[in-house]
Amino acid sequence: MMTLTAGDFYQSGTFWAATGAIVALLAGLGAMWATLRASTPRRRRLLYAMSGTSLLQEQVNGRIEVRHTGNVLTDPRLIQIRLTNVSRLDVSSASFDRNEPIKMKVGRQILELLSVETRPHRAAAPPVTIQGDEVHVGPGRLGRRESVTFFVLVDGDPTFSHWHALIDVGFEEEPEISYSTRELKHTVLRVFLSVAVIFVMLLSIFGRNK
């Protein structure tokens, strides 16, 4: 059996080649991380998404009725409106010019605000009111990396639009498939940690077998 002394171990060409490759990879990942962090905008930025789902997916020939306060709905729709603060800064009440709320228009009389959900769940939702066919959001705080979703009931096919008077806040539609900078950062961090684990394992293997 061959025994590897500490001197032989650290003089091994294979060991230093592997170490050099890993150090180069870690340096590249570190540079990527710094670039991603620097490229993340400091400007406040909200993403919005609006969608509708029919509560009667198929024609049921009058066998099933959906009623609201006693009135039969001919084409009941569940509308989902989501606002997400993707920036690293809070959107505060001061961001609403003249205290004007964000107005999310669905093109149909809103029968009822069914529920409000926030992420993370402990986050407080900004104030919301219903005005005809519009959901009015704010003025109020939406913290960084937080989102709020409103579920409303309408009767009929919706048409979506919006209006806002936000100050220094980008307002953009949420992409259908989004691979955000935050997610990419998490991926880089996971790779970084994986490489570190591999490095430790290599040290252990060289120490035992050579």
Side-chain angles (χ1 to χ4, degrees):
M1 181 176 62
M2 180 178 180
T3 302
L4 183 69
T5 65
D8 293 333
F9 174 66
Y10 289 110
Q11 291 175 7
S12 168
T14 303
F15 167 76
W16 287 113
T19 300
I22 292 174
V23 169
L25 180 57
L26 291 175
L29 289 172
M32 185 185 299
W33 178 275
T35 301
L36 287 171
R37 185 168 181 81
S39 65
T40 303
R42 295 290 294 177
R43 183 170 180 254
R44 295 169 178 84
R45 183 166 165 249
L46 288 181
L47 297 184
Y48 72 89
M50 306 174 72
S51 61
T53 302
S54 175
L55 297 181
L56 295 176
Q57 297 293 341
E58 299 178 0
Q59 179 57 252
V60 293
N61 299 321
R63 294 192 303 273
I64 297 178
E65 289 183 346
V66 176
R67 294 176 177 266
H68 179 263
T69 63
N71 298 315
V72 177
L73 306 183
T74 59
D75 186 16
R77 304 286 183 113
L78 178 65
I79 307 301
Q80 176 178 304
I81 300 171
R82 180 171 59 253
L83 297 176
T84 304
N85 181 0
V86 295
S87 58
R88 289 185 285 160
L89 300 171
D90 292 350
V91 174
S92 68
S93 299
S95 299
F96 293 76
D97 188 29
R98 304 183 304 277
N99 287 328
E100 290 283 354
I102 300 169
K103 299 177 181 180
M104 310 300 289
K105 189 180 183 72
V106 300
R108 293 283 181 175
Q109 178 74 24
I110 296 175
L111 303 175
E112 188 173 343
L113 174 64
L114 299 175
S115 64
V116 179
E117 296 181 359
T118 60
R119 287 194 176 184
H121 297 300
R122 65 179 181 278
V128 57
T129 58
I130 302 300
Q131 297 289 334
D133 65 344
E134 296 178 344
V135 176
H136 291 189
V137 184
R141 174 184 174 276
L142 187 59
R144 61 177 185 171
R145 310 300 187 192
E146 292 180 0
S147 70
V148 57
T149 305
F150 308 98
F151 296 90
V152 300
L153 177 67
V154 303
D155 191 18
D157 193 16
T159 56
F160 299 126
S161 60
H162 67 273
W163 180 91
H164 72 86
L166 296 170
I167 302 171
D168 195 30
V169 178
F171 197 79
E172 307 166 19
E173 186 172 8
E174 181 179 299
E176 291 185 5
I177 301 176
S178 176
Y179 192 75
S180 67
T181 300
R182 185 185 183 189
E183 292 169 327
L184 187 56
K185 286 180 178 179
H186 288 173
T187 300
V188 172
L189 180 59
R190 286 194 294 268
V191 173
F192 186 91
L193 293 175
S194 297
V195 171
V197 170
I198 293 172
F199 180 69
V200 172
M201 291 176 62
L202 284 175
L203 288 177
S204 176
I205 291 171
F206 274 105
R208 289 197 307 264
N209 299 333
K210 293 193 177 182

